[in-house]
């Protein structure tokens, strides 16, 4: 089930980033070795009352003249309308209702997407209570007074946002066809790959109607299995500003990855692997998706018998945070190894949904502990009592221990490697959760 996407839109200095940071708060789990995650955080996974959603800050460059501000806001609104399930439109009670707010509200209203209007900087209801009513004039529903800086009214805001969630969840529920997102920097050949796959499989393409977001979904039948390919190449941005283009492509990637089972990260063989590639792969890794790295334009590379190994090692160094990723060297232009792509996708899908019997897992854990003692701290040693698999996509394991504080990521990695030695799990990340075993939790 894909998580709903919530986007924040608003003029400069109304508090978009403050709101984003407060809502994302402690839920931003920064994975230390995922590139591009700590800086310029554009999206975050949030939870409200057991509901998970992805929050996106459409912000970006803060221009200084009012006509640029309006065109920037239009652009943000377009991004939000194209990618989000719910839009938080944020205005400033102290500046009052300004012309740009009304113009953007018109755009948002026409989109028919659910909009929640947040009136920010209301840190005293007595003082600003009446000024909030002015925003009814926007005609997009009840204004919700909040103060992001003082953390007031956020519960009411999230309650309102969450009311719009469940409606968008049902569409993809019954659809159990594998969903494959093709992601990568602009111009690495994402659309050509889909066209080549279509050409080989001679299927009448129907862009599936009613997909919630604006990524173009393509159905492809290969050897009797129907696949849905989610292409992020769709919307072309005419932006001249590199950071903005990058921000835009990352937002598109997040929403496509969110809906996919397996993510194909396309890299341009001639250009080699770049920091932007690592950022995009990092999004799929963080979300626990199956990952295939497709090196496109392989036909253009001069090769000897070692080229593939050298190239693979180079990519693995840059993408060292996901050593489990599968590689395939293809050419969308010549059709080289395009059939292999389906084989690898199928294998990764199987690994994503692989379930291991508890008995076998505990045997592996016992053996691992015997070979390498768990870490200790101040004379107290970590004890591992029991392991069991609790979920798939990605395969998720709970380990019961005596003290969570003693767990260390290097030991987790050691256990992960032991499980991978036994079962492969190629192409998918694995997730480990530690629980302390008390009298209650056996």
């Amino acid at each position: 089930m894909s998580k709903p996407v919530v986007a924040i839109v608003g003029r400069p200095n109304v508090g978009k980033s403050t709101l984003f940071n407060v809502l994302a708060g402690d839920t931003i789990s920064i994975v230390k070795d995922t590139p591009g995650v700590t800086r310029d955080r554009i999206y975050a996974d949030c939870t409200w009352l057991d509901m998970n959603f992805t929050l996106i800050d459409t912000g970006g460059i803060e221009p200084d003249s009012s006509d640029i501000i309006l065109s920037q806001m239009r652009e943000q609104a377009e991004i939000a309308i194209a990618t989000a399930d719910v839009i938080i439109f944020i205005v400033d009670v102290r500046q009052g209702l300004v012309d740009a707010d009304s113009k953007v509200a018109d755009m948002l209203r026409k989109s028919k997407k659910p909009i929640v209007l947040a009136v920010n900087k209301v840190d005293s209801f007595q003082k600003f209570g009446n000024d909030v009513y002015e925003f009814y004039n926007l005609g997009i529903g009840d204004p919700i007074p909040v103060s992001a800086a003082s953390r007031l009214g956020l519960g009411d805001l999230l309650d309102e946002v969450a009311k719009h969630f469940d409606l968008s969840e049902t569409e993809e529920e019954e659809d159990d066809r594998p969903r494959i997102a093709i992601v990568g920097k602009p111009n690495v050949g994402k659309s050509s790959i889909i066209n080549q796959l279509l050409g080989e499989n001679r299927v009448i393409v129907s862009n599936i109607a009613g997909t919630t977001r604006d990524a173009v979904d393509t159905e492809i039948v290969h050897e009797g299995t129907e696949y849905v390919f989610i292409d992020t190449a769709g919307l072309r941005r005419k932006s001249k500003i590199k950071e903005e283009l990058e921000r835009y492509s990352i937002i598109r990637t997040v929403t496509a990855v969110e809906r996919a089972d397996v993510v194909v990260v396309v890299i341009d063989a001639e250009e080699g692997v770049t920091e932007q590639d690592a950022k995009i792969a990092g999004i799929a890794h963080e979300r626990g998706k199956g990952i295939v790295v497709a090196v496109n334009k392989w036909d253009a590379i001069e090769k000897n018998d070692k080229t593939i190994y050298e190239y693979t090692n180079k990519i693995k160094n840059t993408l060292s945070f996901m050593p489990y990723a599968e590689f395939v060297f293809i050419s969308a232009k010549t059709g080289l190894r395009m059939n292999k792509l389906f084989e690898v996708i199928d294998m990764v899908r199987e690994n994503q949904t692989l379930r291991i019997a508890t008995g076998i897992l505990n045997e592996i854990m016992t053996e691992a502990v015997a070979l390498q003692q768990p870490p200790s701290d101040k004379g107290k040693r970590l004890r591992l009592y029991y392991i069991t698999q609790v979920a798939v996509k990605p395969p998720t394991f709970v380990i019961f221990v005596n003290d969570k504080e003693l767990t260390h990521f290097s030991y987790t990695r050691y256990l992960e490697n032991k499980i991978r030695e036994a079962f492969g799990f190629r192409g998918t990340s694995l997730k480990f959760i530690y629980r302390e075993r008390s009298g209650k939790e056996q």
Side-chain angles (χ1 to χ4, degrees):
M1 192 164 72
S2 63
K3 275 189 294 194
V5 174
V6 178
I8 302 176
V9 175
R11 281 182 298 117
N13 307 322
V14 292
K16 286 195 297 291
S17 296
T18 314
L19 181 68
F20 175 80
N21 291 334
V22 170
L23 294 182
D26 307 332
T27 58
I28 292 192
S29 54
I30 289 169
V31 182
K32 293 290 175 291
D33 50 4
T34 310
V37 169
T38 37
R39 293 201 317 267
D40 62 346
R41 196 73 205 201
I42 296 171
Y43 63 92
D45 298 319
C46 300
T47 304
W48 177 245
L49 304 178
D50 289 347
M51 285 177 279
N52 296 317
F53 62 97
T54 298
L55 186 66
I56 286 178
D57 180 4
T58 60
I61 297 127
E62 309 266 287
D64 40 12
S65 82
S66 59
D67 42 326
I68 305 182
I69 286 179
L70 189 59
S71 71
Q72 288 274 326
M73 280 190 66
R74 285 215 171 102
E75 193 127 306
Q76 288 175 25
E78 277 169 22
I79 294 176
I81 289 166
T83 55
D85 297 303
V86 185
I87 296 165
I88 297 177
F89 181 31
I90 180 169
V91 290
D92 180 342
V93 75
R94 300 183 183 198
Q95 293 173 15
L97 184 54
V98 303
D99 192 36
D101 292 333
S102 307
K103 291 199 163 112
V104 172
D106 290 343
M107 267 186 79
L108 294 174
R109 201 171 32 241
K110 288 187 189 116
S111 77
K112 303 278 190 283
K113 290 268 172 115
I115 296 141
V116 177
L117 177 59
V119 182
N120 194 20
K121 306 190 187 173
V122 183
D123 37 27
S124 148
F125 211 77
Q126 274 120 341
K127 197 163 150 198
F128 296 109
N130 290 338
D131 300 339
V132 172
Y133 296 118
E134 179 188 9
F135 293 97
Y136 272 104
N137 294 324
L138 288 172
I140 48 177
D142 298 337
I144 296 172
V146 298
S147 166
S150 315
R151 298 176 175 239
L152 298 171
L154 301 180
D156 296 344
L157 176 66
L158 289 171
D159 283 346
E160 196 50 46
V161 168
K163 278 182 194 165
H164 300 290
F165 282 172
D166 43 10
L167 309 174
S168 57
E169 297 269 323
T170 48
E171 293 171 33
E172 290 172 6
E173 215 50 335
E174 308 75 62
D175 186 349
D176 53 5
R177 295 173 298 181
R179 293 178 169 271
I180 318 299
I182 305 276
V183 304
K185 296 194 308 284
N187 308 323
V188 288
K190 298 187 289 284
S191 297
S192 326
I193 289 177
I194 288 185
N195 292 338
Q196 175 68 250
L197 294 173
L198 271 170
E200 281 193 357
N201 293 280
R202 303 269 178 270
V203 162
I204 296 147
V205 189
S206 56
N207 283 342
I208 304 164
T211 40
T212 43
R213 306 184 189 79
D214 126 306
V216 184
D217 289 5
T218 309
E219 294 170 337
I220 298 179
V221 180
H222 177 75
E223 294 183 355
T225 305
E226 265 188 54
Y227 298 81
V228 176
F229 279 84
I230 304 165
D231 177 13
T232 51
L235 260 179
R236 285 269 174 261
R237 286 246 73 64
K238 294 182 189 62
S239 171
K240 316 238 178 343
I241 308 165
K242 181 171 176 286
E243 299 94 270
E244 196 170 292
L245 198 74
E246 240 180 53
R247 183 183 199 90
Y248 187 74
S249 72
I250 285 202
I251 289 175
R252 293 296 306 272
T253 303
V254 171
T255 51
V257 165
E258 205 57 84
R259 297 172 52 219
D261 304 313
V262 176
V263 176
V264 176
V265 181
V266 184
I267 287 174
D268 182 326
E270 294 174 285
E271 205 183 321
V273 62
T274 66
E275 189 192 345
Q276 178 75 347
D277 294 323
K279 253 188 197 176
I280 288 169
I283 293 169
H285 166 71
E286 272 202 315
R287 281 167 163 57
K289 303 293 179 177
I291 299 181
V292 178
V293 175
V295 182
N296 190 23
K297 308 185 187 174
W298 193 241
D299 56 310
I301 298 290
E302 285 195 25
K303 298 180 256 318
N304 60 30
D305 54 351
K306 294 192 185 61
T307 315
I308 277 199
Y309 297 107
E310 286 163 4
Y311 212 97
T312 305
N313 287 336
K314 210 187 292 174
I315 300 176
K316 281 195 160 165
N317 277 337
T318 310
L319 306 183
S320 58
F321 54 92
M322 39 180 237
Y324 55 83
E326 278 297 303
F327 288 83
V328 54
F329 292 81
I330 60 171
S331 164
K333 195 164 115 196
T334 65
L336 174 76
R337 291 203 196 89
M338 293 305 268
N339 264 335
K340 174 94 165 110
L341 192 57
F342 281 107
E343 277 172 41
V344 176
I345 287 170
D346 287 343
M347 176 194 75
V348 171
R349 276 178 53 226
E350 270 172 37
N351 286 335
Q352 273 251 297
T353 51
L354 192 59
R355 284 187 183 273
I356 309 297
T358 302
I360 297 171
L361 280 172
N362 281 286
E363 278 171 30
I364 292 171
M365 186 175 81
T366 309
E367 193 177 308
V369 168
L371 287 170
Q372 190 174 325
Q373 286 252 316
S376 63
D377 185 35
K378 302 190 184 66
K380 189 175 183 191
R381 188 168 293 286
L382 175 68
R383 294 185 57 191
L384 284 71
Y385 298 121
Y386 186 74
I387 179 171
T388 183
Q389 184 175 351
V390 292
V392 293
K393 285 189 183 180
T396 304
F397 304 92
V398 168
I399 301 178
F400 291 96
V401 295
N402 58 339
D403 185 352
K404 277 204 301 212
E405 298 295 306
L406 294 171
T407 60
H408 194 275
F409 81 93
S410 61
Y411 200 75
T412 309
R413 189 160 284 180
Y414 164 70
L415 291 173
E416 175 176 336
N417 290 339
K418 288 290 178 204
I419 290 175
R420 285 187 187 279
E421 273 170 31
F423 300 102
F425 280 117
R426 285 164 53 191
T428 178
S429 63
L430 303 181
K431 196 169 159 195
F432 291 87
I433 299 164
Y434 287 98
R435 291 218 182 118
E436 283 177 20
R437 186 144 118 179
S438 60
K440 291 188 292 295
E441 222 168 359
Q442 286 305 316

